[in-house]
Amino acid sequence: METEIDWYAAEDEDDVTARGPNSSLSSTNEAGHYVVTAQPPGAVLHSVKCSFLAPGSVDVIIAKSRRLEVRQLSNASSEEMASLPVVLSAPINGRIATLLSFRHPSSETDYIFFTTETKQYAVLSYVAPEDADSNAVYNLVTHASGNLADHGMALRGNEPESGPIAALEPNHTCIALHLYEGFLTILPIQKSYHYSGKSLSATNVSKRGGRHSEILGHAFHCRIEERDVYSMSFLLSTDISGRYMPQLAFLHQDSRGNQHVVAHSINLQEKSIVLHSAVSPIGSNVKKAAVPPLVQHRLKKNRVDGASGLIIAVPPVGRSEKNMDLSEKGESNVDDIAPPFGGILILGEQQITFHDTAKNCTKMLPTPQRLTLTCARVHPLGAPSNNADHDIVRYLLGDEDGKLHVLAVIRSMNGNVERLQIENLGVTNISSTLLYLERGLVFVGSQSSDSQFIQILDKPTRLSDEKKGDENDLIMSGQNLTYVHVLDEYKNLGPIVDFDVIPMSHNSYGVVNDSLASQCMAVTASGTEKDGSVRFIRNGTGFFEHASVELGGIKGMWALRKSFHDHDDAFLVQSYMGETRIFGVTIEDSGEEGSTSDWDGTSATLSEMQLPDFECENMTLYAGNVIVDTDSDLSLFLQITKRSIRLISLTRSQCVSNWSAQHGESFTIASANESGQIIVVSKGGKIEYLQIVRTDNNGLKIDLKGVAQIGKEVSCVNLNAFEESTDSIQKPAIKDVGTPMEIDYELSEGRSAPKSKIVVVGLWDETNLLVLSLDDASPLRTISRIQLNREVPGQQTCYTNVAQKMARSVCLVTLGSLGYCSDFTKGENDRKEAKNGVNMILIGLGNGVLISFVVNETQEGSWDFTSRREVSIGTRALNLVVFPKHSGTKGACVLATGDRPTIIYLSGGSVKSSKTSRLCYSNIHLSCDDEFENGAEPSIEKNAQLIVNVAAPFRASSLLDDSSNHSDDSYSLCLSDDTTMRIGMIDNIQKLHVTTHKLGMPPRKVAHDVKNRLLCVGCIDQNTSSLQYSNRAETNMGNCVRLFDDSTFEEIDRIDLDPYEMILSLICTQLKVTPNDDFTPETSTIKESEHVDASDSFDPYIILGTGYGFPEDDEPSRGRIIVLECNRDRSNNMFSRKVKKVAELQVRGGVFSICPFYDGSILASINSKTRLCRLVGQENNGVLDLKIVGAGHHGHILSLVVKSLSEEISNADNNTREQLAIVGDMVRSISVLKYYSEYQTLEEIARDFNQNWVTAVEMLTDNIYLGAENFNNIFALRRNPNSSSQEVRCRLDTIGVFHIGEMVNKFLKGSLVLPSHTAGNSGNISTFGQYLGDGNDGIRKMTPKLGSQTLFGTVDGTLGAIIGLDVNSSLFFMALQRSMAKIVKPVGYLKHGDYRSFRIPRGCQPSRGFIDGDFVESFAELDPAMMEAIVQEMNKEDKWYKVESNDNNRKNDAAKKELRPKLTVEEVLAMIEDMAMAH
């Protein structure tokens, strides 16, 4: 009997290790999947304003799906200079459903309270890093944690359709929650609670309810008559004596669809609710217990605006003198006194209503028909007025069109509302939250577009001419005026309605490689309504080219400043074989009146020039600025050639010192630093150390300090100084120095020139790196020898090519990351830059491998080299170039040249923070010239991957006209390959870059045509007027297809669809035209050829699937499949393109999905059917027709998605493998279809018998499939084609389940990063670096391997990747995930395992088969002690690696386990870094 083995593990390694040994990861041997986000969610669900970080600070707490983000308002003196930077971001194990802030009497800062979609809650506060203990994760203290979901079974309540709602009592006595229909949950806030300095312990959380009873009292539940509650709010009161019970107002809808407002009283003492209709007598104990207001004073308003969605409590004017007197005298005749509660604002679709039952006051304000989505109170509540008899309360309102209004409630001083007044301020992105901060500064959170930080101006400003046509601008009274000024925007990709991938090499928008085998750029259809947009998301750092010139053969480049302390570079030195050329920045007066230049009528050029006494007849090995001491000349240049070392003064225009090679020798390699230390190397391994010093007559000379004979040829040398060195030359006092050359001394920003204590030397003949001392007592003494190649007995060497394992470039550098100081109690002027620099050695090898070490100097004077990292970033030799630290916010970084130029920088870490710094890598995308001569198509050679041979930092503000836009956040540089030199800037160094193009209408679908360089976007045009259909007027949202150039985003063409026709699917693929003679119309069959001809032509087409959504139809009754073709004009110009329809097929139903299929055909899912279609006709005469071929598949409920692997299979393999496809049904999960070409039929061969409401599917391999369903889960299925049982072959086994926390709209094969060359066919991503024993004894080394790579996009704007892993990689990361879940205390003590469990309404099951990549990669941000504890737990569990053995030798398994070495923190970090580079 055949045994069926499940390769997946349900958090248990036994299931994973069931797979047999495999030396490489094939497409069918994926043992687990690694789920990680590349772009985190950006949709703002909730936000609150409070003083969370420090007393008096203005902080914004933002809930973004499963993350809490804290932004702090800067104390800038000018509103235009105000900013709202992120100062804290923490993951939450749950999707945040509600968010509140409150102030506890024992604290000077605010606490935050949140609940998740699973009814869990937590209370958090911030603690300063110096006061944080081990329980404070992300500097957050958990004061309360619990779970209210258990009460749902006892209450027997359904979850409300409008979602959970939370409200805070104004005096911060309790929190009201509406979690189930017909029930209200109250959480009292205990005023006696005092934080003792230790956060809530996990052991204090009980199993039932899981709550902590100190800060929050026991929750009690009250039954209410209102079931469909849309909004609730506590009434504001001036009662400080506690005489009256808190009043909670509800906006609800009855069974007839009418909406009402009613208020109930909350009795905290009796833990009950007093309904509006209940009678509660007031007796003599009025001072002892709170009472509800009289029935006639209780708030109630029937039949409000039927589309109301929000109620806002209005504060009362104040307590009257009569009430104060009665309260003080203790008189009990309060029956005749109106309670001190304010009224309520009801925000409806057609009107805004103010109502106060106690004062019998109702005011209405008609408004244009639109829904009000958000509201924020403007502080101060009462604005100064010329008339002292009035009090004004103002609110900001945001509607569904993105318009921002200010609503004024004008009332007399006795509290009577006289009128409501509304004014339009401008247009923002459609808001989901609004927060008024101060001084007219407003945070606009959005779920459908970018969030904004805006300034409300005192006076309207006229829009510029460029913005007059923008739909986001406000046109008031025929004038282009607005009160809104956008200060900043925060990226949000959500909702990602659809996305596609654009293949790219190193070009920003180049088209070279296939998307499945190369790095891709994602293009998303994002946003809704007017905020619809197309987003380009690329991984790495972009290079913006400003100028280029054909200069080949450059061997080295260096930038020189006129003065040592200048901000900009003035000269660019280029070294060639046998000569040196110098280019200088020349600023000339344009001489034109009215010039619009950024430099006040001047222009700058880079032209060749001569410097005095600069030797240009020889090849230069090094050039740079130097400074000897505080009194030295600031214009000193150092030039090292093969024959001499020259010290040149630009001020004196002469060489002040010269040192020549002795005995006719020549220098081969040289290095120096700005303090005047020099190292030169001659043939035979002779190393000389020199220093620029002062002579007795106050002159300068180059003095020889030491000589060493290595005896072997030197490949590279470097003596850069670390920043923490105290022996440095600081900025001198500012002096007025005049020069004959009018040198511009810019001394506003000083530089230091520290001296180096060591020099690093790489050798040609050995895989060693020598570290030599520069001490005056014993210069060039060998103090350490670093082994680059890891030789293990019994194992082959790591690198097969001996020449490539040697160091080709080396540099000493202090990598630093600058940011905000963690001490938020200081003012803006008192803040200091938080610096966390790390001294490192970076070594570039000949095969593109980068090795790094952390360097530490001990107190005894010795040097330690630890934390070895080994990363492959290319295939050619690396040259390392240091980019010095800017005076602004960026730290030092390093550029590694080669065939994949990469920036190495430090991320994370701050003063007094528990987070450690992390070494990050970001490859640079170089832009090719997109202009083609005579409109011809670019050649492969022209768009081929660029190779950077030489690079140098070069900052010239006058030359790079965009430098003002980048300021100190960007680096400018000069790059050179074999033929061309380019000057430009790189944008902000970060992992992902997003480019936005506004559409002005909501997008539905997006697809990219690779060959024609077209971007096809299906949109909903909302400007279409009403049409008549079926004798009644219906508003039609006209659909259209807009076609853009993929690089310039210029609109090329537009195709409008019929009324009521909706775009349901859109793809760009290649089809094969079948001749008419091969098609039989009577049977709808094609004469199949016995083999596929490789010469068959496949032409690119755009395939559009539509459906007609008539008002009376429950589902589309008919639709079309439209085939479009892009044609160019006769000149074959790439930029002269038109799209025409070449074929059309009418179908009975909506075409929900289309996918390419084998042999140039397509599959289309039409309602419940799946059909195969081919293009039939004669291509030469242009007459084509789309035909349905053979018998399709029927039997689905609604076929939403169809996918196949045809694009990954070559045409020659079509006849040698099964032609499979999968269909995702709306209810019936996933089915596998097989096409039988001999019968021309589609048949179902297997299906998943679970009920999953599928939203997206993808075929990872022929037998492994991925699916997502509408409860925010993903699952993996496996087909068993080789089973002997027919029942097993027809069933898809669930081999992995995972709660992703967001709804996935689409899966797509591809990767945002360039695959590592070390992977090869086996899929290796890196070598773990620790061998686990001799390969002959059955113990293997750790070799992580990658399988399939799939991208996914979610409604909340998350763009992520799912990566297939082999057995050992899966075991390793599952063990790490388990150990972290045990050791790391999560925020709010919400368990990681509970959050990632597969949850559906009918049950819940633990996650299995998937690894939470975001969680395991947070290991690198933990403090060292916690890292060590996690690794010890992994070693204790001893399930992180599979020991292979055969059946005949199982007795030695225990012995072999003893041979397995223990994991170390460095090895785990190396593994995590390897995976981080894979996505």
Side-chain angles (χ1 to χ4, degrees):
M1 180 177 179
E2 183 176 346
T3 302
E4 299 298 330
I5 301 176
D6 189 353
W7 300 130
Y8 271 85
E11 292 298 316
D12 191 334
E13 89 291 353
D14 293 335
D15 292 334
V16 177
T17 55
R19 180 186 302 274
N22 58 324
S23 59
S24 63
L25 178 59
S26 65
S27 61
T28 59
N29 290 337
E30 294 182 357
H33 291 91
Y34 190 89
V35 183
V36 65
T37 60
Q39 177 73 15
V44 176
L45 306 182
H46 309 278
S47 65
V48 294
K49 170 197 170 185
C50 60
S51 296
F52 183 69
L53 299 175
S57 63
V58 181
D59 306 321
V60 177
I61 315 297
I62 303 171
K64 294 183 176 180
S65 182
R66 59 187 186 277
R67 296 195 69 87
L68 271 179
E69 185 177 278
V70 182
R71 294 180 177 268
Q72 187 174 58
L73 180 65
S74 64
N75 296 323
S77 57
S78 173
E79 286 80 2
E80 294 185 355
M81 299 299 294
S83 61
L84 201 64
V86 176
V87 294
L88 180 65
S89 181
I92 304 296
N93 288 331
R95 180 179 175 84
I96 301 174
T98 63
L99 180 67
L100 297 173
S101 67
F102 66 92
R103 177 68 60 87
H104 195 271
S106 64
S107 175
E108 296 181 350
T109 59
D110 291 327
Y111 291 2
I112 58 173
F113 169 87
F114 68 87
T115 64
T116 67
E117 62 179 1
T118 57
K119 312 299 185 299
Q120 293 178 300
Y121 68 88
V123 177
L124 307 176
S125 69
Y126 177 80
V127 61
E130 61 269 17
D131 300 329
D133 58 8
S134 59
N135 292 324
V137 184
Y138 293 94
N139 297 329
L140 297 176
V141 177
T142 301
H143 298 272
S145 178
N147 190 345
L148 299 172
D150 292 343
H151 300 286
M153 298 302 296
L155 297 177
R156 301 294 181 184
N158 297 323
E159 294 188 1
E161 294 182 0
S162 58
I165 307 174
L168 176 68
E169 199 275 328
N171 294 326
H172 300 177
T173 60
C174 67
I175 297 172
L177 298 168
H178 182 253
L179 304 176
Y180 299 97
E181 290 183 352
F183 289 92
L184 183 69
T185 301
I186 303 296
L187 282 171
I189 299 176
Q190 304 291 347
K191 299 294 184 180
S192 59
Y193 171 79
H194 180 74
Y195 175 55
S196 60
K198 293 184 179 180
S199 59
L200 172 66
S201 175
T203 59
N204 294 332
V205 181
S206 62
K207 294 182 179 180
R208 179 169 178 81
R211 57 170 308 281
H212 184 54
S213 59
E214 291 191 5
I215 191 172
L216 296 180
H218 291 275
F220 61 91
H221 311 274
C222 309
R223 184 176 292 275
I224 57 177
E225 299 174 351
E226 298 76 23
R227 298 187 65 85
D228 296 331
V229 177
Y230 293 108
S231 179
M232 67 181 188
S233 175
F234 279 95
L235 299 184
L236 300 178
S237 172
T238 58
D239 178 26
I240 60 175
S241 62
R243 172 178 298 177
Y244 292 98
M245 296 179 183
Q247 300 294 298
L248 182 60
F250 296 86
L251 172 64
H252 67 98
Q253 180 174 296
D254 59 21
S255 58
R256 297 182 179 180
N258 299 321
Q259 290 187 336
H260 316 278
V261 175
V262 66
H264 303 311
S265 302
I266 308 298
N267 191 341
L268 294 176
Q269 292 182 346
E270 300 294 335
K271 295 185 177 181
S272 62
I273 185 172
V274 180
L275 299 179
H276 179 274
S277 58
V279 178
S280 179
I282 300 178
S284 59
N285 61 344
V286 64
K287 291 186 178 181
K288 297 181 180 180
V291 297
L294 297 179
V295 176
Q296 60 268 28
H297 293 160
R298 299 175 189 175
L299 181 71
K300 187 174 184 180
K301 175 66 175 174
N302 292 327
R303 298 214 173 185
V304 297
D305 188 351
S308 300
L310 196 61
I311 57 175
I312 306 297
V314 179
V317 172
R319 191 182 309 175
S320 64
E321 293 296 327
K322 180 180 179 182
N323 288 348
M324 293 177 63
D325 295 339
L326 293 175
S327 176
E328 293 175 358
K329 295 176 181 179
E331 298 183 10
S332 60
N333 58 345
V334 294
D335 297 358
D336 300 328
I337 303 174
F341 292 100
I344 203 83
L345 276 174
I346 307 166
L347 306 181
E349 184 179 19
Q350 299 182 1
Q351 65 183 21
I352 298 176
T353 305
F354 172 84
H355 179 73
D356 190 342
T357 303
K359 294 183 173 58
N360 195 20
C361 177
T362 302
K363 297 293 182 180
M364 297 183 181
L365 176 65
T367 58
Q369 185 173 354
R370 64 176 64 91
L371 290 176
T372 302
L373 302 179
T374 54
C375 177
R377 187 191 303 173
V378 179
H379 301 282
L381 298 179
S385 176
N386 296 330
N387 189 349
D389 297 333
H390 289 86
D391 179 77
I392 304 176
V393 183
R394 293 183 174 88
Y395 296 89
L396 291 177
L397 305 179
D399 62 22
E400 61 182 348
D401 295 332
K403 293 181 180 179
L404 188 65
H405 314 268
V406 59
L407 172 66
V409 181
I410 304 173
R411 55 192 180 182
S412 60
M413 297 307 296
N414 60 4
N416 294 326
V417 175
E418 298 182 352
R419 67 181 186 276
L420 304 177
Q421 183 176 331
I422 192 169
E423 184 178 355
N424 202 346
L425 298 179
V427 177
T428 65
N429 292 338
I430 299 175
S431 60
S432 59
T433 63
L434 271 180
L435 291 179
Y436 183 85
L437 306 180
E438 62 179 29
R439 299 174 294 167
L441 300 173
V442 180
F443 172 75
V444 181
S446 178
Q447 288 182 273
S448 61
S449 186
D450 296 337
S451 298
Q452 294 178 316
F453 180 47
I454 66 172
Q455 167 74 37
I456 299 179
L457 307 175
D458 296 332
K459 297 180 180 180
T461 60
R462 188 175 300 276
L463 300 172
S464 61
D465 294 335
E466 293 81 3
K467 296 183 178 181
K468 287 183 180 179
D470 194 344
E471 295 183 6
N472 290 348
D473 298 329
L474 173 67
I475 301 178
M476 303 182 334
S477 302
Q479 298 178 349
N480 296 317
L481 300 176
T482 181
Y483 286 91
V484 175
H485 174 55
V486 179
L487 299 177
D488 201 357
E489 290 189 337
Y490 312 113
K491 295 297 182 183
N492 171 30
L493 302 183
I496 300 178
V497 184
D498 190 22
F499 75 96
D500 201 357
V501 292
I502 301 177
M504 58 184 298
S505 178
H506 284 300
N507 306 331
S508 295
Y509 299 97
V511 179
V512 181
N513 299 324
D514 181 72
S515 62
L516 300 174
S518 66
Q519 183 178 6
C520 302
M521 174 172 57
V523 52
T524 67
S526 302
T528 61
E529 305 301 329
K530 71 175 186 62
D531 295 333
S533 62
V534 171
R535 309 292 183 103
F536 293 91
I537 302 99
R538 56 178 173 82
N539 185 288
T541 301
F543 174 74
F544 300 97
E545 181 181 306
H546 289 261
S548 63
V549 62
E550 292 187 4
L551 286 175
I554 300 178
K555 302 301 181 182
M557 286 190 295
W558 302 269
L560 300 178
R561 304 179 300 277
K562 289 183 178 179
S563 174
F564 184 82
H565 296 293
D566 277 355
H567 187 63
D568 284 358
D569 297 314
F571 310 104
L572 182 65
V573 179
Q574 297 179 350
S575 176
Y576 299 84
M577 290 298 296
E579 66 171 334
T580 298
R581 303 172 67 179
I582 303 174
F583 291 82
V585 179
T586 305
I587 301 178
E588 300 176 352
D589 191 349
S590 62
E592 298 180 2
E593 297 182 359
S595 175
T596 60
S597 174
D598 294 336
W599 316 298
D600 299 329
T602 61
S603 60
T605 59
L606 188 66
S607 57
E608 190 169 1
M609 61 184 305
Q610 296 290 330
L611 289 179
D613 270 7
F614 212 90
E615 187 176 352
C616 297
E617 292 77 15
N618 290 318
M619 178 181 177
T620 298
L621 302 179
Y622 175 86
N625 294 83
V626 294
I627 186 171
V628 179
D629 50 41
T630 57
D631 298 328
S632 66
D633 187 358
L634 298 178
S635 63
L636 293 176
F637 297 156
L638 179 66
Q639 183 193 17
I640 304 177
T641 66
K642 286 190 173 184
R643 297 294 182 184
S644 64
I645 305 174
R646 303 172 62 85
L647 183 63
I648 304 168
S649 172
L650 185 62
T651 304
R652 304 177 188 176
S653 300
Q654 64 179 9
C655 177
V656 297
S657 181
N658 185 20
W659 196 87
S660 300
Q662 302 177 359
H663 309 295
E665 297 177 346
S666 62
F667 304 137
T668 58
I669 300 174
S671 180
N673 57 34
E674 293 182 336
S675 65
Q677 294 176 297
I678 305 169
I679 291 289
V680 290
V681 180
S682 304
K683 292 183 178 180
K686 179 182 178 182
I687 301 178
E688 297 172 279
Y689 170 43
L690 305 99
Q691 174 73 45
I692 301 176
V693 298
R694 285 207 173 271
T695 61
D696 297 337
N697 58 359
N698 205 27
L700 296 175
K701 72 172 183 178
I702 301 175
D703 187 25
L704 179 64
K705 294 292 185 179
V707 180
Q709 185 68 40
I710 302 298
K712 296 183 179 180
E713 296 295 336
V714 176
S715 62
C716 54
V717 64
N718 186 267
L719 48 60
N720 289 341
F722 295 130
E723 286 186 5
E724 74 271 15
S725 175
T726 57
D727 186 13
S728 61
I729 302 167
Q730 303 296 332
K731 170 186 172 181
I734 298 177
K735 300 179 180 179
D736 186 10
V737 182
T739 66
M741 297 183 63
E742 298 182 357
I743 299 176
D744 181 17
Y745 287 94
E746 184 173 294
L747 298 179
S748 60
E749 299 177 359
R751 299 172 183 264
S752 62
K755 291 186 178 181
S756 179
K757 298 180 180 180
I758 58 174
V759 59
V760 184
V761 179
L763 304 177
W764 278 115
D765 299 333
E766 292 185 2
T767 59
N768 294 331
L769 201 68
L770 301 181
V771 181
L772 310 180
S773 173
L774 295 181
D775 293 340
D776 293 336
S778 56
L780 301 182
R781 173 177 56 90
T782 302
I783 58 177
S784 181
R785 183 183 295 267
I786 302 174
Q787 179 69 29
L788 301 182
N789 185 24
R790 290 176 171 175
E791 300 287 350
V792 178
Q795 293 286 347
Q796 296 181 355
T797 58
C798 295
Y799 309 102
T800 57
N801 193 337
V802 178
Q804 291 184 346
K805 64 186 177 183
M806 303 173 187
R808 299 293 183 89
S809 179
V810 63
C811 75
L812 302 170
V813 63
T814 301
L815 296 180
S817 177
L818 301 181
Y820 268 120
C821 179
S822 298
D823 189 0
F824 300 106
T825 60
K826 297 182 179 180
E828 180 72 16
N829 297 330
D830 298 330
R831 280 188 180 162
K832 299 179 181 179
E833 289 180 334
K835 177 181 175 182
N836 189 19
V838 178
N839 298 331
M840 303 196 71
I841 292 181
L842 301 180
I843 307 108
L845 304 185
N847 61 347
V849 172
L850 178 72
I851 301 176
S852 62
F853 294 90
V854 175
V855 182
N856 293 304
E857 183 182 8
T858 63
Q859 295 180 353
E860 294 78 11
S862 60
W863 295 82
D864 293 335
F865 306 94
T866 60
S867 301
R868 174 181 173 129
R869 301 288 185 272
E870 187 172 323
V871 178
S872 176
I873 60 176
T875 60
R876 297 199 177 191
L878 303 181
N879 182 31
L880 304 176
V881 180
V882 177
F883 284 74
K885 181 181 68 177
H886 281 173
S887 59
T889 60
K890 293 296 180 182
C893 63
V894 177
L895 170 65
T897 66
D899 60 337
R900 191 181 177 188
T902 302
I903 294 288
I904 301 103
Y905 64 100
L906 202 65
S907 176
S910 60
V911 173
K912 301 178 182 179
S913 174
S914 61
K915 293 185 178 182
T916 58
S917 301
R918 182 177 180 181
L919 201 62
C920 300
Y921 311 89
S922 179
N923 55 304
I924 296 181
H925 301 288
L926 304 178
S927 299
C928 284
D929 187 6
D930 286 332
E931 298 295 335
F932 313 126
E933 297 181 0
N934 301 323
E937 210 174 320
S939 63
I940 297 298
E941 290 76 11
K942 189 169 186 178
N943 273 328
Q945 173 176 309
L946 293 180
I947 298 174
V948 178
N949 298 331
V950 181
F954 185 73
R955 185 178 183 89
S957 301
S958 57
L959 185 65
L960 305 179
D961 55 359
D962 285 345
S963 59
S964 59
N965 297 331
H966 296 271
S967 66
D968 286 330
D969 290 336
S970 301
Y971 296 88
S972 55
L973 69 160
C974 183
L975 304 175
S976 174
D977 56 14
D978 295 335
T979 59
T980 306
M981 182 189 74
R982 293 175 171 83
I983 297 178
M985 302 189 72
I986 57 178
D987 53 11
N988 295 335
I989 298 176
Q990 59 192 47
K991 189 161 186 178
L992 285 185
H993 293 267
V994 180
T995 304
T996 303
H997 295 280
K998 294 287 186 179
L999 293 173
M1001 57 182 66
R1004 290 183 61 92
K1005 297 293 178 181
V1006 65
H1008 180 251
D1009 187 349
V1010 176
K1011 185 173 182 180
N1012 296 305
R1013 302 192 63 176
L1014 279 179
L1015 192 66
C1016 312
V1017 185
C1019 303
I1020 304 176
D1021 192 349
Q1022 298 175 322
N1023 296 326
T1024 305
S1025 60
S1026 297
L1027 298 175
Q1028 297 291 330
Y1029 182 79
S1030 188
N1031 297 327
R1032 55 180 180 169
E1034 296 286 349
T1035 301
N1036 172 48
M1037 312 292 280
N1039 282 230
C1040 63
V1041 179
R1042 302 174 64 182
L1043 300 109
F1044 303 90
D1045 182 83
D1046 65 358
S1047 58
T1048 64
F1049 209 73
E1050 176 185 358
E1051 187 165 2
I1052 296 175
D1053 205 349
R1054 169 173 170 155
I1055 299 175
D1056 292 309
L1057 301 183
D1058 296 339
Y1060 298 103
E1061 190 175 16
M1062 304 176 297
I1063 298 175
L1064 300 180
S1065 54
L1066 177 65
I1067 67 168
C1068 296
T1069 187
Q1070 292 188 345
L1071 301 180
K1072 185 180 74 172
V1073 178
T1074 302
N1076 287 325
D1077 298 339
D1078 294 341
F1079 180 73
T1080 306
E1082 293 78 8
T1083 58
S1084 298
T1085 57
I1086 297 288
K1087 294 180 182 179
E1088 297 288 345
S1089 59
E1090 296 181 358
H1091 60 87
V1092 178
D1093 191 353
S1095 62
D1096 289 341
S1097 62
F1098 291 80
D1099 298 322
Y1101 293 95
I1102 303 168
I1103 316 296
L1104 177 65
T1106 70
Y1108 288 84
F1110 297 118
E1112 66 272 14
D1113 292 342
D1114 295 332
E1115 64 181 28
S1117 58
R1118 65 187 183 95
R1120 294 191 295 171
I1121 302 178
I1122 305 173
V1123 181
L1124 306 175
E1125 184 181 23
C1126 178
N1127 292 330
R1128 305 176 188 174
D1129 57 13
R1130 295 181 178 179
S1131 62
N1132 198 28
N1133 193 332
M1134 176 65 70
F1135 300 99
S1136 299
R1137 289 161 285 178
K1138 297 294 290 185
V1139 176
K1140 70 173 184 178
K1141 181 173 67 174
V1142 298
E1144 176 184 324
L1145 177 63
Q1146 298 280 348
V1147 295
R1148 296 180 180 179
V1151 186
F1152 287 93
S1153 180
I1154 302 174
C1155 79
F1157 203 55
Y1158 295 88
D1159 195 23
S1161 60
I1162 59 173
L1163 284 179
S1165 61
I1166 306 168
N1167 283 9
S1168 61
K1169 306 174 183 178
T1170 304
R1171 308 302 298 265
L1172 185 139
C1173 303
R1174 287 186 180 274
L1175 204 58
V1176 178
Q1178 299 297 332
E1179 190 175 7
N1180 52 6
N1181 58 17
V1183 179
L1184 301 176
D1185 197 5
L1186 189 66
K1187 298 292 185 180
I1188 294 178
V1189 178
H1193 178 262
H1194 306 257
H1196 291 287
I1197 304 299
L1198 191 63
S1199 303
L1200 295 180
V1201 191
V1202 59
K1203 287 291 185 71
S1204 73
L1205 293 176
S1206 61
E1207 290 187 319
E1208 303 181 31
I1209 309 303
S1210 63
N1211 293 329
D1213 296 334
N1214 284 347
N1215 293 329
T1216 61
R1217 62 183 300 153
E1218 294 180 305
Q1219 298 184 12
L1220 302 177
I1222 60 173
V1223 177
D1225 188 79
M1226 184 179 68
V1227 178
R1228 299 180 60 190
S1229 192
I1230 295 178
S1231 301
V1232 182
L1233 305 182
K1234 180 178 179 180
Y1235 179 70
Y1236 294 90
S1237 58
E1238 61 272 21
Y1239 307 110
Q1240 298 189 11
T1241 59
L1242 281 170
E1243 288 189 6
E1244 181 180 280
I1245 60 174
R1247 63 176 293 246
D1248 178 23
F1249 290 91
N1250 296 311
Q1251 184 178 351
N1252 292 315
W1253 296 61
V1254 171
T1255 60
V1257 300
E1258 185 59 73
M1259 290 187 70
L1260 304 184
T1261 68
D1262 280 341
N1263 300 322
I1264 298 179
Y1265 319 118
L1266 189 66
E1269 48 93 62
N1270 66 333
F1271 293 107
N1272 303 341
N1273 302 304
I1274 60 175
F1275 57 94
L1277 304 174
R1278 189 196 62 215
R1279 184 170 68 100
N1280 304 288
N1282 299 324
S1283 174
S1284 59
S1285 171
Q1286 177 67 22
E1287 180 182 356
V1288 175
R1289 290 198 303 268
C1290 295
R1291 184 185 67 241
L1292 296 180
D1293 295 333
T1294 302
I1295 56 175
V1297 291
F1298 186 77
H1299 183 75
I1300 204 168
E1302 302 171 41
M1303 180 175 287
V1304 177
N1305 275 340
K1306 187 174 183 179
F1307 291 119
L1308 192 62
K1309 287 288 191 68
S1311 175
L1312 294 178
V1313 300
L1314 189 64
S1316 174
H1317 76 281
T1318 59
N1321 297 328
S1322 63
N1324 297 341
I1325 58 171
S1326 66
T1327 300
F1328 187 76
Q1330 175 69 42
Y1331 287 88
L1332 304 180
D1334 188 13
N1336 298 326
D1337 63 6
I1339 301 179
R1340 301 167 54 195
K1341 64 180 181 180
M1342 178 67 75
T1343 54
K1345 302 178 180 66
L1346 297 182
S1348 61
Q1349 300 193 44
T1350 306
L1351 300 176
F1352 65 89
T1354 71
V1355 173
D1356 290 329
T1358 297
L1359 187 66
I1362 300 177
I1363 305 173
L1365 298 176
D1366 70 328
V1367 175
N1368 289 322
S1369 301
S1370 299
L1371 285 174
F1372 176 88
F1373 286 111
M1374 285 181 182
L1376 176 60
Q1377 182 174 260
R1378 288 192 301 269
S1379 300
M1380 290 183 64
K1382 292 180 181 179
I1383 302 299
V1384 179
K1385 298 177 181 179
V1387 177
Y1389 292 103
L1390 307 181
K1391 295 182 179 179
H1392 175 266
D1394 294 342
Y1395 170 55
R1396 292 304 187 184
S1397 296
F1398 187 89
R1399 292 193 305 273
I1400 52 179
R1402 61 182 183 272
C1404 176
Q1405 56 178 308
S1407 170
R1408 58 190 175 96
F1410 288 94
I1411 299 158
D1412 188 352
D1414 294 328
F1415 181 55
V1416 299
E1417 289 183 9
S1418 66
F1419 176 87
E1421 301 177 355
L1422 302 175
D1423 59 79
M1426 192 168 293
M1427 289 183 184
E1428 187 64 34
I1430 293 172
V1431 175
Q1432 290 180 3
E1433 178 66 25
M1434 294 179 65
N1435 289 324
K1436 179 181 178 181
E1437 187 185 44
D1438 200 22
K1439 296 179 180 180
W1440 56 270
Y1441 195 83
K1442 176 178 175 245
V1443 177
E1444 299 174 2
S1445 62
N1446 51 49
D1447 296 336
N1448 298 327
N1449 202 18
R1450 293 184 180 272
K1451 295 182 180 180
N1452 297 327
D1453 286 354
K1456 291 177 180 179
K1457 279 192 174 183
E1458 294 296 331
L1459 296 176
R1460 183 191 309 184
K1462 298 297 183 180
L1463 277 175
T1464 64
V1465 173
E1466 292 184 2
E1467 292 167 347
V1468 176
L1469 284 173
M1471 192 74 164
I1472 292 175
E1473 288 182 359
D1474 287 339
M1475 284 305 303
M1477 292 190 65
H1479 63 82

